[in-house]
Amino acid sequence: ATKRVKCSDWVTLNVGGKYFTTSKSTLTTKEPDSMLARMFAGDEDGYLFTPSNIDKNGAFLIDRSPLYFEPIINYLRNGQLIYDSNINPEGILEEARFFGIESIIPTLEQIIAQQSVNRDNLPLT
Amino acid sequence: ATKRVKCSDWVTLNVGGKYFTTSKSTLTTKEPDSMLARMFAGDEDGYLFTPSNIDKNGAFLIDRSPLYFEPIINYLRNGQLIYDSNINPEGILEEARFFGIESIIPTLEQIIAQQSVNRDNLPLT
Amino acid sequence: ATKRVKCSDWVTLNVGGKYFTTSKSTLTTKEPDSMLARMFAGDEDGYLFTPSNIDKNGAFLIDRSPLYFEPIINYLRNGQLIYDSNINPEGILEEARFFGIESIIPTLEQIIAQQSVNRDNLPLT
Amino acid sequence: ATKRVKCSDWVTLNVGGKYFTTSKSTLTTKEPDSMLARMFAGDEDGYLFTPSNIDKNGAFLIDRSPLYFEPIINYLRNGQLIYDSNINPEGILEEARFFGIESIIPTLEQIIAQQSVNRDNLPLT
Amino acid sequence: ATKRVKCSDWVTLNVGGKYFTTSKSTLTTKEPDSMLARMFAGDEDGYLFTPSNIDKNGAFLIDRSPLYFEPIINYLRNGQLIYDSNINPEGILEEARFFGIESIIPTLEQIIAQQSVNRDNLPLT
């Protein structure tokens, strides 16, 4: 089930100072209409990034949180929204909205609403 | 909703040994009167940093905690105060005070006061 | 109980932007029929990676989550499935399936099913 | 409230393999009699480090835990002992003792003693 | 209580892709009969590592988990077994056994056995 990756398909993103290496197809296939997909939709010298938005290591600069980008990129890789117990889903929701990953927004909103209900129903201390 | 970033707008901060890449507009727009905004308010060769405060990678040196700077910079990016369940809000408050990010100080003070109330009301062991 | 490693045996993987250094024998011995083993099964200039899938540091590019690859590679090193309390086993399961590490899949499925049962039996709030 | 940092004031420490960038004044002002302060008390070519204890990046080598040095250096920066909920205070205490940061030792000892009392009073399982 | 480190005493280990900087005396003094001590017991060009097991940065390659090596190396530094609340002691035990750090094995086994008892005595859900 490994997918073939063409030579020019690998991209490295510098998200807020942390590097993520992935493929153009991961960024564009799962949610082709997202802003993230559209950033990488052109042919390889046609990405929406101007040279000034590429760092000295050749990585594409994105001014967002690396912490919450991690579950977003994993979702684009394998279609599952998975995150660790200490991670705040509100942070993931912010990034999903920013990058336009619409398909996980309802799930995240539901998780956050449920947490809020649980908190309100806690016995008073 | 992505915002255009001019060539000279990208800045890398070396906060206590960890690199954060962001844009001048993120640092200066949300809280223009903060000390952090004022550090980057000049034109690009007019930042408040002297060359001795720039490291060999061109990053601006800031002698503070990288751990608690992370939610601060995210707040400046998206206007939301979001942090993981293991992160101590007192650390974020210290950084908010240092950098002069006034708009999140009351929220943080309230969260910390509430935690303290909850602790005091725990049944004795 | 240290095992001898031949000169060409060391490999570095770039998994989603994070580097893992290990040996070919770790990748191929424990689960020889896995996709991961088969990627490194050839002689050393015969790996399944084309040059376009090797980064500028000589690391083999793999477009997957570094967070959940960590317990997978440790399992291949020492035969134990061990992970920290904050790590989501569903993330490990996804990677085990992708890389074809069949021998830990039933255990992970059982752990996840049990967690789900426990959640459903919680008292209503 | 930012403090001026002279050209030669920046120092980078390699603590157990992790880099911390800070200023000489942070290391020496808060606890001037600590071993850590004394290591950096000389004029800048008079630090207690011999060249053999400086790594190839110019960082001062210190053979201690980076994990527990983090709250120590933050304490020296802002005068507050702050750490995340997953961090073991016994680790911080060890580093405080090693570096001679006397002013936080009683607080840490009290926190650890209290945790021990709480554990002993848990109902038997 | 700082200990003097000779010029050639510093070593950097590449444990599974993460760098740890320490001294030969840390690796060899506390548990001189451990496999880890014996790996670094020779004079400095007599370590048990062949050149093929040294990476391009001069670090000694060790094919083990960096996550669980951290408390091991700290134990060798200060004689205390200390780890954070999210860290799985079974992972530390595996590394202690692999590297032959015999003096912490009984403690770790006891901690793990106790956790198992506690789990078995939980009320059924």
Side-chain angles (χ1 to χ4, degrees):
Chain A
T2 178
K3 81 191 152 219
R4 260 165 217 293
V5 173
K6 279 186 307 170
C7 170
S8 57
D9 198 36
W10 288 102
V11 291
T12 297
L13 312 179
N14 176 340
V15 181
K18 183 172 174 183
Y19 287 93
F20 292 86
T21 301
T22 187
S23 63
K24 180 184 150 182
S25 64
T26 289
L27 295 170
T28 58
T29 305
K30 175 85 191 161
E31 291 243 341
D33 294 329
S34 68
M35 191 189 78
L36 187 62
R38 281 182 285 120
M39 287 160 85
F40 293 94
D43 53 68
E44 73 253 35
D45 43 44
Y47 292 153
L48 280 186
F49 288 82
T50 58
S52 64
N53 293 331
I54 298 175
D55 76 9
K56 66 184 171 199
N57 295 315
F60 297 96
L61 285 155
I62 296 180
D63 186 17
R64 299 296 297 180
S65 157
L67 197 58
Y68 300 117
F69 185 69
E70 183 116 19
I72 298 281
I73 185 84
N74 282 346
Y75 171 72
L76 296 177
R77 282 175 178 133
N78 63 28
Q80 309 281 327
L81 172 64
I82 294 172
Y83 53 93
D84 288 345
S85 59
N86 59 313
I87 295 294
N88 189 335
E90 297 181 54
I92 311 173
L93 178 59
E94 275 304 305
E95 300 313 293
R97 283 184 179 141
F98 178 81
F99 289 111
I101 312 298
E102 301 290 338
S103 56
I104 49 170
I105 291 178
T107 307
L108 284 163
E109 287 176 337
Q110 208 180 324
I111 290 168
I112 292 161
Q114 186 58 42
Q115 287 184 341
S116 172
V117 167
N118 290 348
R119 255 199 306 274
D120 292 350
N121 286 342
L122 280 180
L124 291 173
T125 47
Chain B
T2 178
K3 79 190 153 219
R4 263 167 214 293
V5 173
K6 278 186 307 168
C7 171
S8 56
D9 198 36
W10 288 103
V11 290
T12 296
L13 313 179
N14 176 340
V15 180
K18 183 173 174 182
Y19 287 94
F20 293 85
T21 301
T22 187
S23 63
K24 180 184 150 180
S25 64
T26 289
L27 295 169
T28 58
T29 305
K30 174 87 191 161
E31 290 243 341
D33 295 329
S34 68
M35 190 190 78
L36 187 61
R38 281 181 286 120
M39 286 160 86
F40 294 93
D43 54 67
E44 72 252 41
D45 42 44
Y47 291 152
L48 280 187
F49 289 82
T50 58
S52 63
N53 293 331
I54 298 174
D55 76 9
K56 67 185 169 198
N57 295 314
F60 296 97
L61 285 154
I62 297 180
D63 186 16
R64 299 295 297 181
S65 156
L67 196 58
Y68 300 116
F69 185 70
E70 183 116 20
I72 298 282
I73 186 84
N74 282 344
Y75 172 72
L76 296 176
R77 284 176 178 131
N78 62 29
Q80 308 282 326
L81 172 63
I82 294 173
Y83 53 93
D84 289 344
S85 58
N86 59 312
I87 296 293
N88 189 335
E90 296 180 55
I92 311 173
L93 178 59
E94 275 304 306
E95 300 313 293
R97 282 185 179 141
F98 178 81
F99 290 110
I101 312 297
E102 300 289 339
S103 56
I104 49 170
I105 291 178
T107 307
L108 284 162
E109 287 175 337
Q110 208 179 324
I111 290 168
I112 292 161
Q114 185 59 43
Q115 288 184 339
S116 171
V117 167
N118 290 347
R119 256 199 306 273
D120 292 350
N121 286 342
L122 280 179
L124 290 172
T125 47
Chain C
T2 179
K3 82 190 151 216
R4 262 166 217 290
V5 173
K6 278 185 307 170
C7 171
S8 56
D9 198 35
W10 289 100
V11 290
T12 297
L13 312 180
N14 176 340
V15 181
K18 183 172 175 182
Y19 287 92
F20 293 85
T21 301
T22 188
S23 63
K24 181 184 150 181
S25 64
T26 289
L27 294 170
T28 58
T29 305
K30 175 85 190 160
E31 290 243 341
D33 295 327
S34 69
M35 190 189 79
L36 186 62
R38 281 182 285 120
M39 286 160 85
F40 294 92
D43 53 69
E44 74 252 36
D45 42 43
Y47 292 153
L48 279 187
F49 288 82
T50 58
S52 63
N53 293 332
I54 298 174
D55 76 9
K56 67 185 170 200
N57 295 314
F60 296 97
L61 285 154
I62 296 179
D63 185 17
R64 298 297 297 181
S65 156
L67 196 59
Y68 300 116
F69 184 69
E70 184 115 18
I72 297 282
I73 186 83
N74 282 346
Y75 171 72
L76 296 176
R77 283 175 178 133
N78 63 28
Q80 308 280 328
L81 172 63
I82 293 172
Y83 54 92
D84 288 345
S85 59
N86 59 314
I87 295 294
N88 189 334
E90 297 180 54
I92 311 173
L93 178 58
E94 275 304 305
E95 301 312 294
R97 283 184 180 142
F98 178 82
F99 289 110
I101 312 300
E102 300 290 339
S103 57
I104 49 170
I105 291 178
T107 307
L108 284 162
E109 286 175 336
Q110 208 180 325
I111 290 168
I112 293 162
Q114 186 58 43
Q115 288 185 339
S116 171
V117 166
N118 289 348
R119 255 199 306 274
D120 292 350
N121 287 342
L122 280 179
L124 291 173
T125 47
Chain D
T2 179
K3 82 190 151 216
R4 264 167 214 292
V5 173
K6 277 186 308 169
C7 171
S8 58
D9 198 35
W10 288 102
V11 289
T12 296
L13 313 179
N14 177 340
V15 181
K18 184 173 174 181
Y19 287 93
F20 293 85
T21 302
T22 188
S23 62
K24 181 184 151 181
S25 64
T26 289
L27 294 170
T28 58
T29 306
K30 175 85 192 162
E31 290 243 341
D33 295 329
S34 68
M35 190 189 78
L36 187 61
R38 281 181 286 119
M39 286 161 85
F40 293 93
D43 54 68
E44 71 253 41
D45 42 44
Y47 292 152
L48 280 187
F49 289 82
T50 58
S52 64
N53 292 332
I54 298 174
D55 76 9
K56 66 184 171 199
N57 295 315
F60 297 97
L61 285 154
I62 297 180
D63 186 17
R64 299 296 298 182
S65 157
L67 196 59
Y68 301 116
F69 185 69
E70 183 115 20
I72 297 281
I73 185 86
N74 281 346
Y75 171 73
L76 296 175
R77 283 175 178 134
N78 63 29
Q80 308 281 326
L81 173 63
I82 294 173
Y83 54 92
D84 289 344
S85 58
N86 59 312
I87 296 293
N88 189 336
E90 296 181 55
I92 311 173
L93 179 58
E94 275 303 306
E95 300 313 294
R97 283 184 179 142
F98 178 82
F99 289 110
I101 312 299
E102 300 289 339
S103 57
I104 49 170
I105 291 178
T107 307
L108 284 163
E109 287 175 336
Q110 207 180 325
I111 290 168
I112 293 162
Q114 186 59 43
Q115 288 185 338
S116 171
V117 166
N118 289 348
R119 255 198 307 274
D120 292 350
N121 286 342
L122 280 180
L124 290 173
T125 48
Chain E
T2 180
K3 83 192 148 212
R4 262 166 217 291
V5 173
K6 278 185 308 171
C7 171
S8 58
D9 199 35
W10 289 101
V11 289
T12 297
L13 312 180
N14 176 341
V15 180
K18 184 173 174 181
Y19 287 93
F20 293 85
T21 302
T22 188
S23 63
K24 181 184 148 179
S25 64
T26 289
L27 294 169
T28 58
T29 306
K30 175 85 191 161
E31 290 243 342
D33 295 328
S34 69
M35 189 189 79
L36 187 61
R38 281 181 286 119
M39 286 161 85
F40 293 93
D43 54 68
E44 73 252 39
D45 42 44
Y47 292 153
L48 278 187
F49 288 81
T50 58
S52 64
N53 293 332
I54 298 174
D55 76 9
K56 66 185 170 199
N57 295 315
F60 296 97
L61 285 154
I62 296 180
D63 186 16
R64 299 297 296 183
S65 156
L67 196 60
Y68 300 116
F69 184 70
E70 184 115 20
I72 297 282
I73 185 84
N74 281 347
Y75 171 73
L76 296 176
R77 284 174 178 133
N78 63 28
Q80 308 282 326
L81 173 63
I82 294 173
Y83 54 92
D84 289 344
S85 58
N86 60 312
I87 296 293
N88 189 336
E90 297 180 54
I92 311 172
L93 178 59
E94 275 303 306
E95 302 313 293
R97 283 185 179 142
F98 178 81
F99 289 110
I101 311 299
E102 300 289 339
S103 57
I104 48 169
I105 290 178
T107 308
L108 284 163
E109 286 175 336
Q110 208 180 323
I111 290 168
I112 292 162
Q114 186 58 43
Q115 289 185 337
S116 171
V117 167
N118 290 348
R119 255 199 307 274
D120 292 349
N121 286 341
L122 280 179
L124 290 173
T125 47

